[in-house]
Amino acid sequence: MYRCDAGKSRITVNNAGDIFACSVMYGNNDYRIGSIYSGINKESQSKFECVTIESVTQCKSCEIKSVCGGECYVNAYLKNSDFYNPIDKMCKIKLELNKLSMSFVNKIKNKSSVVYSKLIDFAFEINSYENTPLAVWAVMSFLNARNVIVNYSEVNNYIAKYDNIVEGILNYLKKFDDNISLYKIYNGKDMKTPAIAIINNTQSNALDFLHIVSINDGNVIFKVFALGNADVMSLPIYEFTRDVSCIVIC
């Protein structure tokens, strides 16, 4: 088990094309693992692949290692200047918090099987959010920017009814605003925000979606969702419409 997915199944890219293992350490050369032009540097990436809870002495002997998963790479780096040694104080805090959590869960289990069952169902539901379809995330993020809070299951179930996913998104959003429509952007000046950009993913032969937050000083500020995290990125308008998407829902 890895302590973190940084540099393995999660990366972030800056506007110069540099690839970093973690968005939190964006710009830190110790976290730079390559670029979109030269690819991933395997040697730089290897330091994120070699650290598991079984390879760290403190973690290997810890009784809650499988629950905790180990220290955050960033926290370890900022405190100890390396990725490999967890922070002793945080270990003690997490150990006690996990003991309290397990004790509380066992108490619920013994007191009320109904409440315990609901708790387990909720835990599985939360876990499913990490696998949230991009269309569902984009809709929820878009509506949240308009101060409209919706239920995950409601959005997911509604869109899933449609063979044409864009039609499903449009019809759902029209429940809140009849003026919602599909637009082709010819220049950034006519782009309304917030918006949902539609991207044709040629690799997966499917549509991807991202949330355009705003236009600021000639740049498109947008959110990209991957592996349960939403990273905020920025591109000049002409680059965004040329290289990312010129089709939006707003």
Side-chain angles (χ1 to χ4, degrees), residues 72-230:
C72 164
Y73 290 136
V74 173
N75 287 342
Y77 177 86
L78 294 176
K79 178 68 176 179
N80 303 316
S81 299
D82 65 41
F83 309 103
Y84 312 110
N85 295 305
I87 303 169
D88 290 338
K89 187 174 183 179
M90 288 303 300
C91 284
K92 292 176 182 178
I93 291 174
K94 286 190 283 187
L95 179 62
E96 293 305 315
L97 286 175
N98 273 278
K99 286 180 177 179
L100 286 172
S101 297
M102 288 185 282
S103 176
F104 180 64
V105 170
N106 283 329
K107 188 172 183 178
I108 293 175
K109 183 178 180 180
N110 294 328
K111 289 280 186 178
S112 174
S113 59
V114 174
V115 174
Y116 177 74
S117 179
K118 289 183 178 180
L119 179 65
I120 297 301
D121 289 341
F122 181 69
F124 277 108
E125 182 181 353
I126 292 296
N127 186 61
S128 72
Y129 294 169
E130 292 193 0
N131 302 311
T132 298
L134 286 176
V136 176
W137 167 79
V139 167
M140 295 184 70
S141 186
F142 170 84
L143 289 175
N144 186 58
R146 288 179 152 210
N147 296 315
V148 178
I149 307 301
V150 291
N151 179 271
Y152 169 87
S153 297
E154 175 192 326
V155 179
N156 188 46
N157 293 337
Y158 188 95
I159 294 177
K161 295 187 298 183
Y162 289 83
D163 293 328
N164 185 323
I165 195 167
V166 174
E167 182 183 2
I169 292 173
L170 283 168
N171 286 339
Y172 185 80
L173 293 178
K174 283 180 179 292
K175 294 168 59 177
F176 305 94
D177 184 350
D178 285 335
N179 295 318
I180 293 289
S181 191
L182 190 66
Y183 298 93
K184 183 172 183 178
I185 303 300
Y186 294 96
N187 62 71
K189 295 179 181 178
D190 56 358
M191 187 186 296
K192 296 187 293 184
T193 59
I196 297 172
I198 303 172
I199 306 167
N200 187 14
N201 189 327
T202 55
Q203 290 185 337
S204 63
N205 195 29
L207 295 178
D208 286 343
F209 303 88
L210 56 80
H211 171 207
I212 299 173
V213 179
S214 63
I215 307 293
N216 187 16
D217 294 331
N219 293 307
V220 180
I221 313 301
F222 59 98
K223 290 182 180 180
V224 179
F225 182 78
L227 300 170
N229 297 295

